[in-house]
Amino acid sequence: MSLQTQVMDKMKEAMKSKDTVALQALRAVKSAFLIAKTATGVQEEITADQELKIIQKQVKQRKDSAAIFIQQNRQDLADPELAEIAVLEQFLPEALSEEAIAKVVIETIAKLGASGMKDMGKVMGVVSNELSGKADGKIISTLVKQQLIK
């Protein structure tokens, strides 16, 4: 079952249960799916990988907004964003732990023979592709920097 179908099913459940927070988050994802589908000008179906990236982008936007609201002492605005994150994260695969990400980073550095910050782009590209959808880019970047500086 595609993520689009899952989102639609959850949207119907949210409508029936009158869950406004979930409904708002799911409608935003549905809208992003439609925009992605029509962005190319061709009415093609979007791939599962694209669906996953769209949901990740939606989660990231909400995390950034929540962080800004918390920084400005506006918990009343941050709470709905955090609630929407919880709704959207159910569609994402289980995130890897930092230890698992670090292991992949170390293996990739050894495999590529990377020896300094000049090789960060190569390492980031390989690790990001390998862990696509399973790890946050900021965490990957931080771990790659730590390993290359050593």
Side-chain angles (χ1 to χ4, degrees), residues 25-125:
L26 295 169
R27 281 183 173 152
V29 171
K30 180 184 174 198
S31 173
F33 284 155
L34 289 173
I35 290 169
K37 204 184 283 189
T38 58
T40 59
V42 181
Q43 288 289 340
E44 294 179 11
E45 287 298 314
I46 55 178
T47 64
D49 191 43
Q50 289 172 318
E51 291 174 337
L52 190 62
K53 285 183 175 157
I54 289 169
I55 293 177
Q56 287 174 326
K57 184 177 179 182
Q58 294 285 318
V59 170
K60 184 179 182 331
Q61 287 174 344
R62 283 162 179 74
K63 283 182 179 178
D64 292 346
S65 296
I68 291 169
F69 292 143
I70 289 170
Q71 189 177 31
Q72 295 175 346
N73 293 323
R74 293 297 309 263
Q75 194 63 38
D76 60 318
L77 297 175
D79 288 340
E81 298 289 334
L82 296 172
E84 287 184 24
I85 290 169
V87 170
L88 296 177
E89 284 183 335
Q90 67 187 339
F91 299 105
L92 296 176
E94 191 68 34
L96 293 176
S97 67
E98 270 195 47
E99 294 81 25
I101 298 168
K103 183 179 176 190
V104 172
V105 167
I106 292 168
E107 290 171 1
T108 304
I109 289 172
K111 186 174 18 173
L112 294 175
S115 60
M117 288 302 290
K118 67 183 184 323
D119 296 323
M120 183 165 176
K122 282 192 262 182
V123 176
M124 281 295 297

